Structure formats: structure tokens, C-alpha cells
């Protein structure tokens, strides 16, 4: 029996080393930069209070919305695929499956961009975590 464990562990190790190197080297370069920061727009001297988010813009609800639409898109094809696996039927429409996969990628990207825009418009300072979670919730 062939074990694939070393392959994915080495790939994971290589990606962590690359990300760690880029993070630390970028931090060192940024810290040692002597240029004065120039804001691209006018900023206030004192920070203002960020308003609380409404009930439908909270993290769990927004991630559920982001995962629900791509899941509905792929659910129909998953029904036929599981029916062919468990019902001993042959699934022969692979070209349609590829088109659905491409459509799933496009819909996921568009929903993520739209929800990130809504978070930025609401001046939510935690937008990057929801951006990272919302695009992957349809996988769960």
C-alpha cells in the first residue's frame, strides 16, 4: 500500500516556510523603511467610534449567506452524482459537471467580492477575516 502522507506533509511544510519567509522579510523591510507614511486621503487626528453592526451583518449570518448560494448551485449536480455512485448508475455528463464547477468558482468569487464591498461600506474593520471565511464556507 502506498502512503501519500509524506507528500502532503512536505507540501504543507513548504507552503508554511514560504509564507513565513515572505511575512518576516516583508515585516523587516517595512520596519526598516525610512519613508514617512503619506495617507492617500485626508484623515482625522482623532479616531471616531465605529458604529455597531446590524443583525444581518454579523459574522455567522454573513458567512451563511456566502455559503448558501454556491451550495444551492452545486446541490443539483451532487444529487445526480451521488445517485450514480449509490444507485449503480453511470454518470456520463462530465462536460456539464465541468461547466457547473466553473460557474461555482465564478459565483463564489462574485459573492465574496460583493460581501467584502458591503463590509467596507459599513466601515467594518474586521473585513479581512470575513473575506477569508466567506469564500470557503460553501466547502463545508
Amino acid at each position: 500500500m502506498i502512503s501519500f502522507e509524506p507528500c502532503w506533509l512536505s507540501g504543507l511544510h513548504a507552503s508554511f516556510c514560504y509564507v513565513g519567509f515572505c511575512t518576516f522579510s516583508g515585516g523587516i523591510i517595512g520596519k526598516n523603511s525610512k519613508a514617512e507614511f503619506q495617507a492617500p486621503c485626508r484623515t482625522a487626528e482623532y479616531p471616531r467610534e465605529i458604529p455597531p453592526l446590524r443583525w444581518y451583518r454579523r459574522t455567522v449570518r454573513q458567512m451563511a449567506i456566502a455559503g448558501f448560494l454556491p451550495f444551492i448551485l452545486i446541490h443539483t449536480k451532487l444529487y445526480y452524482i451521488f445517485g450514480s455512485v449509490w444507485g449503480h448508475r453511470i454518470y456520463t455528463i462530465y462536460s456539464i459537471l465541468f461547466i457547473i464547477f466553473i460557474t461555482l468558482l465564478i459565483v463564489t468569487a462574485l459573492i465574496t467580492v460583493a460581501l467584502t464591498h458591503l463590509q467596507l461600506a459599513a466601515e467594518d474593520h474586521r473585513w479581512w477575516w470575513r473575506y477569508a471565511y466567506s469564500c470557503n464556507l460553501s466547502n463545508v
Side-chain angles (χ1 to χ4, degrees):
M1 183 172 181
I2 299 173
S3 174
F4 292 105
E5 186 176 10
C7 294
W8 69 269
L9 281 178
S10 64
L12 191 65
H13 177 68
S15 66
F16 280 143
C17 288
Y18 177 73
V19 168
F21 173 74
C22 290
T23 301
F24 288 121
S25 62
I28 291 170
I29 291 171
K31 180 183 176 200
N32 294 333
S33 176
K34 301 295 182 193
E36 175 100 15
F37 175 71
Q38 298 293 329
C41 60
R42 187 172 52 99
T43 58
E45 186 175 340
Y46 301 106
R48 66 180 186 87
E49 183 179 342
I50 297 173
L53 296 175
R54 297 194 177 188
W55 65 272
Y56 56 88
R57 289 198 180 194
R58 301 240 168 89
T59 304
V60 176
R61 290 176 185 92
Q62 196 164 13
M63 288 189 320
I65 291 170
F68 182 70
L69 293 175
F71 176 75
I72 292 299
L73 176 73
I74 202 72
H75 181 265
T76 306
K77 282 297 159 187
L78 284 177
Y79 174 75
Y80 290 118
I81 290 172
F82 288 148
S84 67
V85 168
W86 292 323
H88 304 292
R89 288 179 279 166
I90 298 174
Y91 186 78
T92 58
I93 313 174
Y94 294 109
S95 60
I96 300 296
L97 184 63
F98 180 71
I99 292 170
I100 292 295
F101 174 70
I102 297 299
T103 308
L104 176 70
L105 292 179
I106 292 170
V107 166
T108 304
L110 290 177
I111 288 173
T112 303
V113 168
L115 289 177
T116 304
H117 172 72
L118 289 175
Q119 291 165 2
L120 290 174
E123 299 176 358
D124 186 9
H125 64 282
R126 296 175 303 251
W127 66 271
W128 55 84
W129 291 112
R130 291 190 194 167
Y131 173 78
Y133 295 147
S134 67
C135 63
N136 292 321
L137 196 66
S138 62
N139 298 332
V140 176

